[in-house]
Amino acid sequence: MLITQQRDRFYYWRETFTFVENPTMAGNTFGTVFKLTTFGESHGVAIGGIIDGCPAGLEVDLDAVEAEMQRRKPGQSSIVTQRKEEDTVKFLSGIFEGKTTGTPIGFVIGNTDQKSRDYSHIKDTYRPSHADFTFDKKFGHRDYRGGGRSSARETACRVVAGAIAKQLLKDIKITAYVASVGELKLDKPHTEVDFSEIEKNPVRTADAATAVKMEHYIKQIKKQGDTVGGTITCVIQNVPQGLGEPVFDKLHAQLGKAMLSINAVKGFEFGSGFAGTKMLGSEHNDIFNKDGSTKTNYSGGVQGGISNGEDIYFTVAFKPVATIIQKQWTINAKGEEVEMMGKGRHDPCVVPRAVPIVESMAALALADFWMLNNLSKLDNF
Ligand SMILES: Cc1cc2nc3c(=O)[nH]c(=O)nc-3n(C[C@H](O)[C@H](O)[C@H](O)COP(=O)(O)O)c2cc1C
Ligand SMILES: C=C(O[C@@H]1CC(C(=O)O)=C[C@@H](OP(=O)(O)O)[C@H]1O)C(=O)O
């Protein structure tokens, strides 16, 4: 081979691999085998995704997908953003005669009620604690309308994939609920929560009286043009033993990544979490029953990064929404200090709509581990 040909080949491969390893805007895919890639901006034509690695032959209950979308969609009650989107999912591929074909499942969700005028004042001005500043610094060119790609609108795609992952997981039951809004707490450990209460109130907490207080508080905060944070607890039941891939892809590590990838998340507490630090080993150790189950479950259903068959539980902390309808000082792209006020339709508190997002991300993490676990033993081939 001529030296010039060799050189051209070298450059060809270098460029190819550089592209594959360092694609621009990396980070739009979650999962190793059961994978979700999402695309789209909040005020663009549509958002959507591709679910790859879903096995063939899964009967997809489209009504169940639709029901999950209704739980997340904007405009669903007076304590969430008043942007009105139907969030009907249009599947483009990968499902035939009601069953998955094992090929990529492509889907789109239209954006129909965007009001981009509300964002013209932040074209060159950064909302404090939103993603405007960092997206600008990283990419230099961004769709500022509605926060573009940084908007939680993208999480609609996660809910589509999560709804399918839930169906793949069959008996594994994933339930999330609002555990606190500001200082208002649902005063019950997850083991005493009545899951049937969650969908009966717009806050999605598991107690009617607490829900009334939380709803009232969110409305009050909204009137002041302000926002408030909260926490969501998630419980996963009927988990088979063996899910999780030590050492770097431990089950709770991936769940942490899944949760921390959700917009506005600031904390993830797994199993006994921070409270466990105040206990002694003699109190904290989960003592076995003869069948391998444990008498207590401070481990949160995971030991050594692998599920042990007990319930998995964790809590996710969400910050107060950044866009407030109050004047605040900020800076513009020229570095000048300017006063700005948020405009438009924002969530005064994200937790009511984040409940199905937390469940979906948990389902995606578990579906991936379920697929991977089938590869971990020769007996499975
Ligand atoms: C369900 C949900 C709804 C949200 N709604 C809003 C909103 O209406 N306005 C807003 O400024 N941020 C909202 N956020 C948060 C922003 O998307 C998020 O703060 C922003 O992308 C910056 O990312 P970070 O807070 O994770 O750093 C929402 C988050 C979630 C999970
Ligand atoms: C559109 C959704 O939520 C949006 C999330 C969001 C943000 O900054 O994250 C800001 C608001 O966007 P807009 O100003 O366009 O109404 C929310 O409504 C959705 O969840 O589907």
Side-chain angles (χ1 to χ4, degrees):
M1 194 188 289
L2 288 172
I3 224 150
T4 49
Q5 280 176 318
Q6 268 178 333
R7 193 197 56 203
D8 287 349
R9 194 171 275 194
F10 168 75
Y11 283 125
Y12 171 77
W13 283 114
R14 197 181 66 168
E15 272 161 33
T16 307
F17 283 113
T18 309
F19 174 73
V20 170
E21 284 167 18
N22 302 308
T24 52
M25 197 70 184
N28 296 296
T29 301
F30 183 81
T32 306
V33 178
F34 190 99
K35 284 190 201 183
L36 168 69
T37 302
T38 73
F39 64 83
E41 286 84 24
S42 182
H43 288 208
V45 179
I47 52 172
I50 295 177
I51 304 160
D52 205 1
C54 183
L58 176 73
E59 262 181 55
V60 182
D61 179 348
L62 293 177
D63 292 339
V65 177
E66 175 70 24
E68 293 293 334
M69 297 302 284
Q70 296 301 310
R71 293 173 76 210
R72 196 219 67 94
K73 77 175 184 183
Q76 61 181 267
S77 74
S78 60
I79 54 166
V80 306
T81 168
Q82 292 306 296
R83 178 164 162 178
K84 297 275 191 279
E85 294 286 354
E86 282 316 309
D87 281 359
T88 312
V89 187
K90 187 173 179 191
F91 285 98
L92 306 174
S93 62
I95 302 175
F96 180 63
E97 295 176 342
K99 285 186 194 171
T100 55
T101 55
T103 59
I105 302 170
F107 63 88
V108 286
I109 306 158
N111 291 325
T112 60
D113 186 32
Q114 51 279 60
K115 290 215 166 81
S116 299
R117 273 193 320 275
D118 292 340
Y119 288 85
S120 44
H121 71 302
I122 63 147
K123 183 173 178 290
D124 298 308
T125 303
Y126 309 123
R127 285 171 294 171
S129 288
H130 209 289
D132 308 328
F133 176 81
T134 48
F135 265 61
D136 215 15
K137 291 296 152 197
K138 181 172 175 66
F139 300 109
H141 181 60
R142 72 192 164 103
D143 181 352
Y144 60 86
R145 304 163 308 162
R149 182 73 180 149
S150 75
S151 168
R153 176 118 191 92
E154 179 272 339
T155 61
C157 306
R158 304 173 186 222
V159 173
V160 176
I164 293 178
K166 277 184 181 178
Q167 294 177 34
L168 182 68
L169 294 169
K170 290 197 174 70
D171 297 334
I172 301 180
K173 193 165 176 269
I174 304 173
T175 314
Y177 58 89
V178 170
S180 71
V181 168
E183 295 284 351
L184 296 172
K185 288 191 183 76
L186 175 70
D187 257 336
K188 280 179 196 169
H190 74 272
T191 44
E192 285 169 29
V193 162
D194 178 358
F195 293 160
S196 71
E197 286 294 320
I198 302 165
E199 291 300 318
K200 290 184 188 162
N201 62 79
V203 183
R204 295 201 166 83
T205 193
D207 174 75
T210 314
V212 171
K213 284 187 210 154
M214 287 175 171
E215 186 181 350
H216 179 70
Y217 182 54
I218 296 172
K219 282 182 180 166
Q220 249 185 329
I221 290 294
K222 186 183 166 183
K223 262 195 206 143
Q224 296 163 18
D226 220 329
T227 60
V228 63
T231 62
I232 292 178
T233 295
C234 182
V235 184
I236 312 177
Q237 297 163 301
N238 301 329
V239 187
Q241 295 167 344
L243 303 188
E245 300 295 328
V247 289
F248 292 114
D249 297 338
K250 292 176 177 168
L251 177 46
H252 56 316
Q254 287 297 90
L255 283 170
K257 177 177 177 173
M259 298 306 142
L260 287 159
S261 77
I262 301 172
N263 311 46
V265 170
K266 287 289 177 201
F268 175 70
E269 189 174 30
F270 191 84
S272 59
F274 293 100
T277 63
K278 296 176 191 154
M279 296 172 76
L280 300 175
S282 52
E283 299 164 319
H284 191 269
N285 284 350
D286 294 320
I287 302 302
F288 286 107
N289 294 309
K290 276 189 191 162
D291 63 359
S293 64
T294 57
K295 295 182 199 296
T296 52
N297 183 21
Y298 294 115
S299 304
V302 177
Q303 292 169 340
I306 301 171
S307 60
N308 66 356
E310 299 295 318
D311 289 354
I312 290 174
Y313 62 95
F314 56 85
T315 296
V316 188
F318 290 82
K319 74 181 194 185
V321 161
T323 317
I324 56 172
I325 316 299
Q326 290 183 3
K327 276 190 179 169
Q328 279 195 316
W329 283 100
T330 187
I331 57 162
N332 61 23
K334 291 184 201 148
E336 296 160 341
E337 280 187 302
V338 289
E339 226 178 11
M340 71 156 292
M341 184 157 131
K343 279 190 196 168
R345 305 158 297 178
H346 294 271
D347 290 279
C349 179
V350 306
V351 288
R353 293 206 297 128
V355 164
I357 307 170
V358 165
E359 289 180 6
S360 296
M361 289 311 295
L364 289 179
L366 287 191
D368 199 29
F369 280 127
W370 186 77
M371 303 281 290
L372 281 164
N373 196 38
N374 291 331
L375 305 173
S376 68
K377 265 190 201 162
L378 208 50
D379 297 357
N380 295 342
F381 287 92

